[in-house]
């Protein structure tokens, strides 16, 4: 049995050929915070070298450079074809030292986990690609709020996560505690 630690130069060709499979969980906020680190990884690596698995859907990857690299859990053959032959990396930024010691933002923690760096100056801004329906709904929501408020400036906050449900009497309940309710 070989108990020695090997350097990257001493790894087998099989180990070097394995792709990274980044698993990201959580809702929209976590996915959006991870996007700059994924973009940075793509700038420094070939797209053939990694995959992204999103446990919360593909909405934020569609229409981006990650569209063909991202999969959700319903993908047929996901384990056999993508996870098993490669190296799975479960991205959990809340367990990253810099984040829980309040030294890094969530985006910077994703950068540390994905790119292995503490140099975060070259992270791009998150880019969200919206469908035409989403764009129209957003414009209409802002117009409606401005009309109701009759103020020069209006800030619109959507405080409810995807699991929030409105019940009789107008009460909103989110059993996952991801909403401001």
């Amino acid at each position: 049995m070989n108990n020695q630690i090997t350097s990257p130069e001493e790894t087998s060709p099989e180990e070097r050929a394995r792709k990274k499979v980044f698993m990201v969980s959580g809702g929209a906020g976590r996915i959006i915070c991870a996007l700059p680190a994924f973009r940075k990884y793509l700038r420094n690596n070939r797209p053939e070298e990694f995959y992204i698995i999103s446990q919360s859907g593909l909405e934020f990857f569609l229409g981006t450079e990650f569209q063909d690299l991202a999969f959700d859990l319903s993908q047929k053959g996901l384990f056999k074809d993508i996870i098993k032959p490669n190296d799975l990396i479960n991205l959990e930024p809340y367990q990253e030292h810099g984040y829980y010691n309040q030294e890094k933002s969530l985006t910077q923690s994703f950068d540390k986990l994905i790119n292995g760096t503490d140099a975060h100056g070259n992270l791009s801004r998150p880019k969200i690609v919206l469908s035409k329906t989403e764009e129209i709904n957003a414009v209409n929501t802002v117009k409606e709020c401005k009309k109701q408020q009759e103020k020069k400036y209006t800030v619109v906050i959507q405080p409810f996560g995807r699991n929030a449900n409105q019940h009789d009497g107008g009460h909103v309940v989110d059993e996952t505690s991801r909403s401001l309710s």
Side-chain angles (χ1 to χ4, degrees):
M1 182 162 104
N2 184 357
N3 289 331
Q4 293 183 341
I5 297 174
T6 58
S7 70
E9 296 81 32
E10 296 174 17
T11 57
S12 70
E14 177 187 296
E15 289 174 310
R16 281 191 298 266
R18 289 194 300 238
K19 299 177 183 182
K20 289 189 177 184
V21 180
F22 296 109
M23 175 133 8
V24 62
S25 63
R30 280 175 61 130
I31 301 296
I32 292 168
C33 287
L35 287 175
F38 284 133
R39 282 200 175 83
K40 182 177 178 178
Y41 191 83
L42 185 58
R43 280 194 311 265
N44 298 321
N45 298 276
R46 295 188 324 263
E48 308 83 51
E49 296 177 353
F50 73 102
Y51 296 111
I52 300 168
I53 299 173
S54 173
Q55 293 181 339
S56 57
L58 298 174
E59 292 88 357
F60 293 101
F61 298 105
L62 297 176
T64 72
E65 61 269 41
F66 303 112
Q67 181 168 316
D68 296 330
L69 305 172
F71 301 91
D72 66 6
L73 296 177
S74 67
Q75 176 69 37
K76 184 176 180 175
L78 180 69
F79 180 75
K80 180 176 75 83
D81 299 331
I82 295 173
I83 296 173
K84 191 175 179 187
N86 296 300
D87 290 325
L88 180 65
I89 300 164
N90 189 19
L91 300 174
E92 185 43 75
Y94 297 132
Q95 295 174 358
E96 195 275 319
H97 181 269
Y99 183 81
Y100 64 74
N101 281 289
Q102 299 181 352
E103 297 165 353
K104 290 185 177 140
S105 68
L106 203 56
T107 298
Q108 291 168 335
S109 291
F110 272 118
D111 190 30
K112 174 72 173 184
L113 296 171
I114 294 168
N115 295 296
T117 183
D118 286 312
H120 309 298
N122 58 350
L123 288 172
S124 61
R125 290 177 157 237
K127 175 183 162 190
I128 303 170
V129 178
L130 300 176
S131 69
K132 199 62 172 170
T133 301
E134 291 169 324
E135 287 180 30
I136 292 168
N137 287 342
V139 168
N140 289 339
T141 299
V142 171
K143 281 182 183 177
E144 182 65 29
C145 288
K146 282 185 173 183
K147 186 173 137 184
Q148 288 177 6
Q149 297 298 318
E150 298 179 349
K151 304 283 183 185
K152 184 175 179 181
Y153 298 102
T154 301
V155 176
V156 179
I157 298 172
Q158 198 295 76
F160 306 112
R162 82 168 57 188
N163 293 319
N165 293 306
Q166 188 168 5
H167 296 279
D168 293 336
H171 297 286
V172 178
V173 177
D174 181 355
E175 294 179 2
T176 64
S177 300
R178 291 186 172 157
S179 297
L180 301 175
S181 57

